[in-house]
Amino acid sequence: MRYGMIIDLARCIGCNACTVACKSHNGTPKDIFWSQVLVEEKGEYPNARVVPTPILCMHCEDAPCVKACPTGASYKDENGIVHVNQDKCIGCKSCMVACAYDARKFMGGEPKSYFPGKEVTELEEVQHTEFSRGVVSKCDFCADRLKEDLLPACVGTCPAQARIFGDLDDPGSEVSKILVKKSGRTLLSHKGTKPSVYYLAR
Amino acid sequence: MSNDSSDRSLSSVITWNKDVKVMPYALFGVVALIVGAVAAIMTLINGHDTMFNLSPEVPWGLLIASYAFFVLTASGLAFIGGIGHAFGNSAYLKINRRIVVMAFAVLLAGFTQIGMELGHPLRLAWYMLVSPNFSAPITWMGVLYSIELLILAFELYLVLKPNPTEKDHRNSAVVGFCAMIFGVLAAATLGFVFGSNTARPFFHGSYFSTFFVVSGITAGAAMLLFVHNLVYWGRVPSSLSKTMSSLGKLMATGIGVMIFLYLWKILATVYTPAADGGYAAIRELLSGSLSTNFWGGEILLAIVLPLFLVLITKAQSMKMLGLAGFIYIVGFFFTKYDFIIAGQVPVGGDDFIGSGINRMADFQAYVPASGEWLIMLLGCGVFFTFYFFAEKILVLEKES
């Protein structure tokens, strides 16, 4: 079993629902984004447009972050998902430097509220207990939701259905069938990390 | 009777050197240590966010640079000490007590930097024992520098032993040789911590392992030249002229090798910008946000000026050698800072659509916060306090 994702760039409308769903479900503190949408401006007025590219942890098969972690805090589970054990992380950030996708975020202080000058809300307070200070965190394909047979939050929420999630090892899965039919590509494939997140061209 | 003899033998090592006027340096060290320790405690209480200016774009900043600066200098000193101990180079044997004390002090200073840079320094020791990941270069770097610290501590004991026997001399030679080997290995492994990164093309490869070892040995020589001038207030005794001259030549040779390394690294990258060889980082260094640091800090201070001063005086003027050493040390710091920041230039290219816009601006916005400078001051404080008090109370002039 190797979980993977396809992001269809032709369908993506750059609405950032995935970003919000990720933050909402995982309760990541202020300034910590596990899922985000990069936006590039193209052309000039009046023929200008924005081109969105959603990114997240690529859960690479040959993950350089796992190799670079000195304590084994970054590890890969049997489903191909790369995790960070927050209790083992020493905050050396070598995994961040090893990651070509900027998918890992370091939390250097106490979690901040999204409401400047205000205390954290009750919900934030509860969600922030999941996050230690001085460690690195990242997307884990919403492993807690997968256990309940739910899709990752970003996949489930996408209004354009631009994200397809499934088992890359199963030839019968939707992701495998789509990848056979359409040539999906991975970002920075020349880095040789074999990402589990594929992109379909616009 | 036996007490008397042990006192006499101990006084050959521990004393109070009235003639050695280093208290201003030692007191500067104490002040720096106190100020730095306050910053360190504040960092431990408040976390990195409030004290450091790091970001997802630049996760490694000034403290990684200062760590490299200190530990590579220690490796260089251990190398020079090894030449004296293991190969009987009389010029370096003359100052071997100083070399070992200095290497130990500088390495301790380096450990303070990496300790404060980590999010959880206390977890490090535990999990490195319980679940070390041997495929991580940073694990090996930690292991090798820890071994190096132990070797230097043992060497310290051997070279400061009163009334050393023939066996002690032999042991010193073996331990000095080990310090040299492990120092070089540790420095090269630190280079591999960066060189093993495929994500950062500027770091990738064997270049920095080589550059670290060469520039570290050069820094060791520079440090000895500078500190001797401090200890003697610019009047280094003629008995050490040959030693200083030899160190000056070693430093000049090191700078010469560095010129080659710089030249071909830059040419190879600029010549084939499309080869994913860190062109963006080199561009940042040559003409981007780090260009002042590069041309002023590295080329002028680490190469042109010290080399000019050594060559123009034919490595004979003690004062000029001390000045060249000091200038190189400052330049050496720039070589470490620039390379670490430049190497983290956001990964771009057509394959990563939209990546080269805002992230570049965030990358260029990295300026070390005052908290980071104060932690670096802590490292300087550790070195100045440890070394200059040792200079005051130990007999370091004597060849062991």
Side-chain angles (χ1 to χ4, degrees):
Chain A
M1 155 99 67
R2 181 161 76 95
Y3 280 124
M5 191 185 289
I6 294 173
I7 297 176
D8 189 342
L9 295 174
R11 282 173 166 265
C12 176
I13 53 172
C15 68
N16 269 302
C18 47
T19 310
V20 175
C22 173
K23 287 199 75 67
S24 175
H25 174 70
N26 295 298
T28 50
K30 188 171 181 281
D31 300 331
I32 306 278
F33 290 87
W34 291 352
S35 171
Q36 53 191 328
V37 180
L38 298 175
V39 173
E40 188 178 21
E41 294 173 19
K42 288 212 165 178
E44 280 185 27
Y45 178 82
N47 301 314
R49 62 197 172 100
V50 290
V51 178
T53 304
I55 59 163
L56 66 164
C57 172
M58 302 289 154
H59 296 277
C60 304
E61 206 175 335
D62 189 4
C65 52
V66 172
K67 266 191 198 166
C69 175
T71 61
S74 283
Y75 68 97
K76 204 171 180 46
D77 71 13
E78 65 280 6
N79 300 322
I81 299 174
V82 177
H83 299 265
V84 179
N85 179 340
Q86 291 202 33
D87 296 333
K88 267 183 150 185
C89 177
I90 58 168
C92 71
K93 292 169 279 187
S94 55
C95 57
M96 290 175 76
V97 177
C99 176
Y101 305 97
D102 278 358
R104 293 172 160 259
K105 311 294 170 190
F106 179 75
M107 208 170 65
E110 295 305 328
K112 295 185 194 80
S113 173
Y114 264 99
F115 304 97
K118 297 239 182 343
E119 296 295 316
V120 290
T121 63
E122 281 177 30
L123 174 65
E124 283 174 330
E125 206 171 341
V126 171
Q127 289 184 314
H128 289 174
T129 56
E130 301 290 318
F131 294 89
S132 313
R133 194 181 86 177
V135 300
V136 171
S137 68
K138 60 179 279 299
C139 152
D140 62 356
F141 273 163
C142 290
D144 55 338
R145 286 173 61 95
L146 295 178
K147 277 181 195 156
E148 295 172 23
D149 279 341
L150 293 167
L151 289 168
C154 58
V155 178
T157 202
C158 182
Q161 294 186 352
R163 293 176 182 235
I164 304 105
F165 184 81
D167 181 5
L168 293 169
D169 281 346
D170 175 9
S173 70
E174 194 185 357
V175 278
S176 297
K177 284 177 182 169
I178 290 172
L179 285 177
V180 168
K181 217 182 296 177
K182 300 178 178 182
S183 56
R185 68 183 185 96
T186 54
L187 292 185
L188 302 173
S189 53
H190 61 286
K191 298 283 180 194
T193 59
K194 300 178 192 153
S196 298
V197 176
Y198 289 81
Y199 289 79
L200 300 183
R202 284 187 170 82
Chain B
M1 188 74 191
S2 63
N3 274 352
D4 282 356
S5 67
S6 74
D7 281 352
R8 268 202 305 276
S9 62
L10 210 59
S11 67
S12 68
V13 178
I14 298 174
T15 177
W16 181 260
N17 299 304
K18 281 183 191 161
D19 303 337
V20 180
K21 296 179 173 31
V22 292
M23 281 316 277
Y25 311 131
L27 293 176
F28 162 76
V30 171
V31 172
L33 193 63
I34 292 166
V35 173
V38 170
I41 291 163
M42 282 171 70
T43 305
L44 290 171
I45 293 169
N46 301 324
H48 286 195
D49 278 0
T50 51
M51 298 293 285
F52 300 173
N53 192 25
L54 300 170
S55 66
E57 285 71 28
V58 185
W60 279 351
L62 177 71
L63 294 191
I64 293 289
S66 58
Y67 168 70
F69 169 79
F70 285 121
V71 298
L72 294 174
T73 304
S75 287
L77 287 162
F79 182 89
I80 294 165
I83 294 173
H85 266 311
F87 301 114
N89 181 310
S90 58
Y92 299 150
L93 267 177
K94 267 187 183 169
I95 54 167
N96 67 7
R97 281 186 174 181
R98 267 202 183 109
I99 290 174
V100 178
V101 171
M102 204 182 293
F104 187 79
V106 178
L107 194 52
L108 271 186
F111 275 55
T112 63
Q113 304 302 287
I114 195 75
M116 290 313 304
E117 207 276 339
L118 294 175
H120 283 277
L122 298 178
R123 277 185 196 173
L124 168 74
W126 175 246
Y127 282 111
M128 288 290 274
L129 290 171
V130 174
S131 63
N133 175 16
F134 292 117
S135 71
I138 205 167
T139 301
W140 290 104
M141 180 207 76
V143 167
L144 288 166
Y145 266 121
S146 300
I147 292 171
E148 178 71 356
L149 190 73
L150 293 174
I151 292 173
L152 286 172
F154 186 52
E155 196 180 3
L156 208 56
Y157 160 74
L158 286 174
V159 298
L160 294 174
K161 210 173 169 186
N163 303 327
T165 60
E166 192 54 42
K167 194 182 169 194
D168 289 329
H169 282 301
R170 277 201 306 275
N171 287 344
S172 283
V174 172
V175 174
F177 183 71
C178 287
M180 177 168 107
I181 296 295
F182 274 91
V184 170
L185 271 177
T189 308
L190 174 54
F192 188 60
V193 167
F194 299 95
S196 60
N197 269 299
T198 50
R200 317 281 167 174
F202 179 64
F203 288 157
H204 187 256
S206 61
Y207 172 81
F208 283 112
S209 290
T210 314
F211 189 83
F212 277 13
V213 172
V214 172
S215 61
I217 293 166
T218 314
M223 195 80 170
L224 286 164
L225 290 169
F226 172 55
V227 171
H228 272 86
N229 270 273
L230 283 184
V231 170
Y232 297 106
W233 293 85
R235 294 190 183 86
V236 180
S238 55
S239 59
L240 293 176
S241 294
K242 255 190 175 169
T243 303
M244 294 299 111
S245 184
S246 173
L247 286 169
K249 287 168 187 168
L250 178 65
M251 185 173 83
T253 307
I255 293 171
V257 177
M258 280 167 64
I259 292 171
F260 270 89
L261 290 169
Y262 266 126
L263 184 68
W264 300 116
K265 168 81 174 172
I266 291 169
L267 276 182
T269 309
V270 173
Y271 193 75
T272 52
D276 194 24
Y279 179 72
I282 293 283
R283 194 185 53 212
E284 256 346 85
L285 286 171
L286 299 184
S287 58
S289 59
L290 294 163
S291 60
T292 308
N293 279 9
F294 179 75
W295 294 109
E298 294 189 55
I299 300 302
L300 188 68
L301 299 181
I303 289 179
V304 176
L305 280 179
L307 194 59
F308 175 77
L309 287 173
V310 174
L311 294 180
I312 205 81
T313 59
K314 294 183 179 155
Q316 297 304 318
S317 162
M318 298 301 112
K319 280 195 181 75
M320 283 301 154
L321 284 173
L323 179 64
F326 171 70
I327 292 170
Y328 175 82
I329 288 164
V330 177
F332 175 63
F333 168 73
F334 275 104
T335 69
K336 298 297 148 275
Y337 176 85
D338 289 357
F339 117 87
I340 281 163
I341 305 306
Q344 294 173 80
V345 68
V347 181
D350 295 339
D351 227 0
F352 205 169
I353 301 157
S355 64
I357 303 167
N358 295 328
R359 296 195 312 152
M360 197 63 206
D362 290 340
F363 162 80
Q364 289 175 341
Y366 174 73
V367 176
S370 53
E372 291 169 85
W373 287 113
L374 289 174
I375 301 289
M376 186 174 170
L377 188 68
L378 169 71
C380 296
V382 167
F383 169 71
F384 271 79
T385 305
F386 187 99
Y387 180 78
F388 286 106
F389 273 114
E391 193 73 60
K392 193 72 188 170
I393 62 168
L394 300 174
V395 179
L396 299 184
E397 292 250 349
K398 194 176 156 193
E399 187 179 320
S400 59

